[in-house]
């Protein structure tokens, strides 16, 4: 079921984040490629139009990251190198995503074939579910997304079969997943809770530096720091007297004093080490004295030292990874029984990232 939500409903969330606009051609993308062979699997010919939703989904995701990379880094996401860690030559993200898309097209078709061989069918609820997803895809409120759908030429009719194949593949995936041998308890036993123990804290904070108009850090003067130290010593006295941090901030108004919460593990890199070292030696409910860090002054109260949230998340991710690895091992065994011929003459020449979308400028 996780697989279903990621691939079908997940697309709707990124549609409005990517720029999708028609190129002005009267011929839709679906019409352009409806007679173009993409791949043959055991004699079954799959046209590009038969897999256009998967191509579209991959390109929309790529376009989103392209926008992020251009806006924040001034470089193209499509041109970034990807290495699989096997020692093979790196490839561009464009080529990597293109290869991944063809692999997905093949995998879903094979899983659907296996489902049909096993006598599986979709019941009325499952058909209604994927048709509802089609309706969500076609009825985009964002103008640019709606224009993109129109440019590709998606309709209920030409999406129905592709979504049927995807849904049948998901159903067979879930069937396979139930039979996979993954020992969650062994995975849990192999993960030391201490490595993931989460500490929960609240704090009072007073900055000793600020960012100027050029976003460069400027340190306060020694006099300003000394005044800030006095404010924090006053706050510490109030904390010692049992006042809450919220009450202290209210009592010492206009000083720049603030309060908040911070959670971390022993090895967190996103939290100042001085903050961590001061907090983890506390008893739950106790607070530190004034702690000086690179950012400013803190008074820290430990509210919990045994939260298992990070640990349970890590276990869940490890189990999910083990399930994924077991699935692909099983799938690769299944695929060996199929004759797969990619129409490389066509596929290799397709400008991935520009098949269903306008030119990305690469």
């Amino acid at each position: 079921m996780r697989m279903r939500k990621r691939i079908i409903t997940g697309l709707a969330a990124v549609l409005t984040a990517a720029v999708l606009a028609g190129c002005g051609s009267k011929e839709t993308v679906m019409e352009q490629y409806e007679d173009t062979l993409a791949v043959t699997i055991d004699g079954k010919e799959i046209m590009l139009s038969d897999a256009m939703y998967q191509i579209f989904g991959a390109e929309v995701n790529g376009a989103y990251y392209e926008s992020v990379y251009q806006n924040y880094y001034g470089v193209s996401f499509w041109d970034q190198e990807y290495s699989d860690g096997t020692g093979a030559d790196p490839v561009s993200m464009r080529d990597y995503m293109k290869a991944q898309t063809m692999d997905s097209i093949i995998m879903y078709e094979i899983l659907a074939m296996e489902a049909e061989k096993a006598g599986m069918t979709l019941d009325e609820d499952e058909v209604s579910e994927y048709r509802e997803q089609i309706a969500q895809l076609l009825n985009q409120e964002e103008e640019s997304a709606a224009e993109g759908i129109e440019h590709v030429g998606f309709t209920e009719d030409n999406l129905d079969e592709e979504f049927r194949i995807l849904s049948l593949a998901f159903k067979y995936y879930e069937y396979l997943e139930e039979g996979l041998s993954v020992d969650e308890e062994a995975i849990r036993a192999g993960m030391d809770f201490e490595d993931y123990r989460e500490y929960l804290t609240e704090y009072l904070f007073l900055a000793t530096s600020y960012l100027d108009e050029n976003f460069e850090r400027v340190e306060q003067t020694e006099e300003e720091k000394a005044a800030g130290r006095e404010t924090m010593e006053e706050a510490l006295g109030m904390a010692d007297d049992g006042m809450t941090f919220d009450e202290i901030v209210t009592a010492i108004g206009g000083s720049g004093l603030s309060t908040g919460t911070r959670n971390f593990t022993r090895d967190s890199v996103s939290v100042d080490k001085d903050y961590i070292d001061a907090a983890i030696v506390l008893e739950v409910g106790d607070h530190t004295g004034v702690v000086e860090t690179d950012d400013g002054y803190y008074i820290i109260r430990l509210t919990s030292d045994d939260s298992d949230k990070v640990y349970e998340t890590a276990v869940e991710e490890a189990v999910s990874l083990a399930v994924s690895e077991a699935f692909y091992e099983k799938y690769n065994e299944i695929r060996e029984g199929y004759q797969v011929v990619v129409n490389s003459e066509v596929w290799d020449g397709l400008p991935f990232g520009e098949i269903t979308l306008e030119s990305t400028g690469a």
Side-chain angles (χ1 to χ4, degrees):
M1 192 59 67
R2 294 188 301 273
M3 194 174 185
R4 182 191 304 276
K5 291 187 179 297
R6 183 174 67 249
I7 295 174
I8 291 184
T9 62
L11 178 59
V14 298
L15 275 170
T16 56
V19 177
L20 306 176
C23 61
S25 171
K26 292 183 179 179
E27 185 180 34
T28 68
V29 178
M30 291 291 284
E31 291 170 339
Q32 182 181 352
Y33 290 112
E34 64 182 350
D35 295 321
T36 303
L37 180 66
V39 60
T40 303
I41 303 176
D42 271 9
K44 179 180 178 180
E45 293 184 340
I46 300 166
M47 303 300 165
L48 281 172
S49 57
D50 296 330
M52 196 58 69
Y53 171 75
Q54 292 188 66
I55 296 170
F56 177 64
E59 289 193 324
V60 166
N61 279 284
Y64 169 76
Y65 286 110
E66 172 70 4
S67 175
V68 170
Y69 270 65
Q70 291 288 1
N71 288 336
Y72 287 94
Y73 311 117
V75 297
S76 172
F77 164 76
W78 296 112
D79 294 338
Q80 299 306 301
E81 289 189 343
Y82 172 84
S83 177
D84 62 8
T86 64
D89 292 337
V91 297
S92 69
M93 285 304 303
R94 186 184 300 275
D95 289 340
Y96 170 71
M97 290 186 71
K98 184 177 183 178
Q100 289 291 101
T101 301
M102 176 52 73
D103 287 344
S104 293
I105 292 169
I106 294 168
M107 181 180 71
Y108 294 129
E109 193 67 44
I110 287 177
L111 291 179
M113 288 179 170
E114 287 291 300
E116 290 173 340
K117 288 179 182 178
M120 291 183 180
T121 59
L122 300 175
D123 59 32
E124 289 184 4
D125 289 341
E126 290 166 329
V127 172
S128 294
E129 182 180 353
Y130 82 67
R131 286 180 175 167
E132 182 180 342
Q133 298 294 337
I134 291 174
Q136 290 177 8
L137 177 67
L138 296 178
N139 297 305
Q140 296 294 320
E141 294 182 1
E142 184 72 22
E143 183 177 356
S144 61
E147 290 175 354
I149 298 297
E150 182 180 0
H151 168 59
V152 180
F154 285 138
T155 66
E156 290 182 4
D157 288 341
N158 62 34
L159 282 171
D160 195 86
E161 176 60 14
E162 185 172 359
F163 270 63
R164 186 190 73 83
I165 293 296
L166 287 170
S167 298
L168 201 53
F170 296 140
K171 188 166 187 173
Y172 194 71
Y173 166 82
E174 290 169 353
Y175 163 75
L176 288 180
E177 187 180 44
E178 291 176 358
L180 297 177
S181 179
V182 174
D183 190 341
E184 179 175 344
E185 290 307 312
I187 292 173
R188 184 179 292 276
M191 300 175 67
D192 188 349
F193 176 77
E194 290 303 320
D195 293 336
Y196 303 92
R197 180 189 293 271
E198 188 178 27
Y199 296 81
L200 312 184
T201 63
E202 59 177 342
Y203 61 80
L204 289 168
F205 173 67
L206 193 62
T208 55
S209 63
Y210 62 92
L211 297 179
D212 64 15
E213 63 275 10
N214 297 316
F215 298 99
E216 294 182 357
R217 185 175 295 279
V218 178
E219 290 288 326
Q220 290 181 340
T221 64
E222 291 303 317
E223 291 78 9
E224 290 171 326
K225 288 184 177 180
R229 182 83 188 201
E230 289 182 6
T231 298
M232 292 300 288
E233 292 292 349
E234 180 183 0
L236 179 60
M238 294 178 177
D240 290 341
D241 289 338
M243 291 180 64
T244 69
F245 284 0
D246 285 331
E247 290 171 340
I248 294 171
V249 170
T250 300
I252 308 179
S255 63
L257 187 67
S258 64
T259 185
T261 60
R262 185 165 292 166
N263 306 336
F264 55 86
T265 62
R266 287 179 180 271
D267 298 323
S268 292
V269 295
S270 59
V271 178
D272 192 297
K273 187 176 185 301
D274 291 331
Y275 186 105
I276 293 175
D277 290 344
I280 62 177
V281 297
L282 294 171
E283 296 291 332
V284 173
D286 288 348
H287 59 262
T288 65
V290 178
V291 178
E292 185 172 359
T293 72
D294 291 339
D295 295 328
Y297 299 119
Y298 285 93
I299 297 172
I300 307 162
R301 175 175 286 123
L302 183 66
T303 58
S304 173
D305 64 358
D306 64 351
S307 172
D308 64 355
K309 183 177 179 180
V310 172
Y311 176 71
E312 291 299 332
T313 298
V315 169
E316 182 179 345
E317 291 174 351
V319 170
S320 180
L321 177 61
V323 169
S324 179
E325 290 174 344
F327 163 73
Y328 278 105
E329 182 178 352
K330 181 64 177 179
Y331 164 70
N332 287 330
E333 293 176 3
I334 294 171
R335 176 170 171 162
E336 288 178 1
Y338 283 82
Q339 183 178 18
V340 178
V341 181
V342 176
N343 185 5
S344 300
E345 184 177 349
V346 168
W347 184 254
D348 290 351
L350 289 174
F352 198 79
E354 302 169 20
I355 302 169
T356 64
L357 311 181
E358 281 191 308
S359 171
T360 58

